[in-house]
Amino acid sequence: MAVSRFSLAVARAIRGEAVAHASTPKVASIPAELAKKAAGPWGALTVEEKKQLYRAAFGKSRLEIIKDSSKDKTQVFLGSLAGIAGGVVLYFAFSTFSAAPLPSTITKEWKAASEQKIKDLGMNPLTK
């Protein structure tokens, strides 16, 4: 018979052991009557009893944790913004201070001289 993670966590909560989860508050005590029912078939438990066992085992649900995580979203956004700004600063610093000077073949005078040489030598007969 396969044992689920949830039923193991409930068994630990019944025994009073702490559940290894970072945001789990202090494990609530489970009434002895409910602990007896949890040892039996889970189909006999009501929804409210299952919820009470879940709360004792895990504390908050995923939706409650997500609802409380607005501070985390702000920190992630600001951290990403700082990372992008740092990258832009590094790019401009490296391109300003460590880039090689531009070659002389990019100047307007060089391009004009190249075009004149092409015309003088007749490299493109259609332009004559």
Side-chain angles (χ1 to χ4, degrees), residues 88-101:
V88 169
V89 167
L90 283 174
Y91 169 77
F92 282 113
F94 281 120
S95 65
T96 302
F97 298 115
S98 66

Side-chain angles (χ1 to χ4, degrees), residues 22-95:
S23 65
T24 304
K26 189 74 176 158
V27 177
S29 62
I30 300 175
E33 179 183 317
L34 186 57
K36 254 187 207 176
K37 278 187 175 181
W42 280 71
L45 295 173
T46 65
V47 174
E48 288 303 317
E49 290 170 338
K50 288 178 185 178
K51 284 182 182 179
Q52 190 176 0
L53 288 170
Y54 180 86
R55 292 284 183 198
F58 296 109
K60 291 183 178 181
S61 69
R62 184 173 191 277
L63 290 176
E64 291 169 340
I65 292 171
I66 290 171
K67 193 168 118 179
D68 295 341
S69 69
S70 63
K71 181 180 177 186
D72 295 340
K73 291 176 186 175
T74 305
Q75 288 176 345
V76 168
F77 175 73
L78 291 176
S80 300
L81 196 62
I84 291 170
V88 169
V89 167
L90 283 174
Y91 169 77
F92 282 113
F94 281 120
S95 65

